[in-house]
Amino acid sequence: MAPTILVEQQDGLLTLTLNRPHKRNALNTEMYQALTTALRGAAEEQSVHALLIQGQQACFTAGNDLADFMGKQSLTADDPILQFLHTLADFPKPVIAAVGGAAVGIGTTLLLHCDLVYLADNARLQLPFVELGLVPEFASSLLLPRAVGHLKASELLLLAEAIDAGEALRLGLANRVLAADELLPFARTQGLTLAAKPPKALQRSKALLKQELKQAVHFVIDTEARAFSLALQGEEAQARIARKLGR
């Protein structure tokens, strides 16, 4: 059985590929654990200078695996999801995301923690938390309003309508939109370009860019997680998720 996270290193660039296409790369506990392990290793490995997170050109991720989610009672500090959120938020090296097709829920919120974001022209971003009886996660209630303004953030989070790649670019959620078949090669080229630059200067520059909100991001991740846990146990979420799963 193929691993659900593919790990490849080339010339200073570590690429993590979400590899569960038959489930639209929906993230489950195993994938969160694998991602966290890879991130922690890459943070310490001196030969890794930059990171690329990608799916396939037709699908980035459909978000959390809802069937996996239904078994959770709460999101505690040692939960693999929270471990991943804090680890990526703290990752010291530049992170690129290459997004084709669906980027749902955490597939969109993780982009707020990346340093460069490239979208395929078939990308669709959506934050369906309220639709599922849940609340925002991964510090999106802090970072999204800062990125796109309060009114647009409210529209994206409360109405939960999907936006296409062009709209995401216009809002400042992406650096560039490319044809689907150009996305992954372009993102890799950009990653290799980053990885070839002086690594200490890269890391120090990223740290300076992130310093203002670093403590706030971790605080909000935990605050949202507590609210998310309560919502997950509530009747609204249980009913909505069960309906989504056809139960």
Side-chain angles (χ1 to χ4, degrees):
M1 196 170 180
T4 54
I5 303 295
L6 303 179
V7 181
E8 177 192 356
Q9 185 174 341
Q10 177 191 353
D11 297 333
L13 175 66
L14 186 74
T15 301
L16 302 180
T17 304
L18 308 179
N19 188 45
R20 203 181 176 213
H22 63 291
K23 293 290 187 179
R24 299 177 67 222
N25 289 337
L27 296 170
N28 59 15
T29 298
E30 174 193 341
M31 295 172 77
Y32 280 116
Q33 290 171 330
L35 286 166
T36 300
T37 297
L39 287 170
R40 288 174 176 169
E44 298 297 327
E45 177 53 61
Q46 292 187 5
S47 65
V48 174
H49 299 163
L51 175 73
L52 170 61
I53 302 176
Q54 63 183 21
Q56 294 75 43
Q57 67 182 41
C59 184
F60 185 55
T61 173
N64 284 306
D65 185 316
L66 294 180
D68 193 55
F69 236 46
M70 286 289 275
K72 291 185 180 294
Q73 294 300 312
S74 63
L75 291 176
T76 57
D78 61 352
D79 188 282
I81 295 176
L82 270 181
Q83 292 285 310
F84 168 72
L85 302 187
H86 284 295
T87 302
L88 182 58
D90 253 351
F91 192 72
K93 301 169 185 181
V95 180
I96 300 172
V99 179
V104 180
I106 195 165
T108 291
T109 59
L110 77 78
L111 304 182
L112 300 171
H113 298 268
C114 295
D115 303 292
L116 295 170
V117 176
Y118 300 113
L119 304 180
D121 54 13
N122 65 352
R124 287 182 68 77
L125 281 56
Q126 188 175 20
L127 298 163
F129 303 116
V130 170
E131 191 69 25
L132 292 170
L134 299 169
V135 298
E137 38 90 310
F138 212 172
S140 55
S141 62
L142 170 70
L143 298 176
L144 192 62
R146 292 180 69 92
V148 304
H150 175 79
L151 295 179
K152 191 63 184 181
S154 296
E155 183 175 78
L156 294 174
L157 286 168
L158 303 184
L159 290 175
E161 295 175 350
I163 59 172
D164 63 19
E167 176 72 354
L169 181 66
R170 188 187 70 79
L171 290 172
L173 295 174
N175 295 92
R176 190 176 301 195
V177 176
L178 302 111
D181 61 351
E182 297 175 1
L183 172 69
L184 301 184
F186 179 84
R188 175 173 288 276
T189 297
Q190 294 296 88
L192 291 170
T193 299
L194 263 184
K197 296 187 182 299
K200 290 182 181 178
L202 272 181
Q203 291 182 46
R204 289 168 182 163
S205 296
K206 170 169 177 167
L208 289 168
L209 285 165
K210 297 276 189 177
Q211 66 176 340
E212 180 188 4
L213 292 178
K214 183 174 182 179
Q215 288 186 329
V217 163
H218 289 290
F219 175 80
V220 174
I221 286 173
D222 288 333
T223 301
E224 289 173 343
R226 288 191 291 271
F228 198 101
S229 293
L230 289 174
L232 187 61
Q233 297 166 32
E235 292 180 4
E236 289 181 346
Q238 292 292 312
R240 289 288 181 128
I241 293 173
R243 190 182 313 160
K244 193 87 170 173
L245 292 171
R247 295 179 179 176

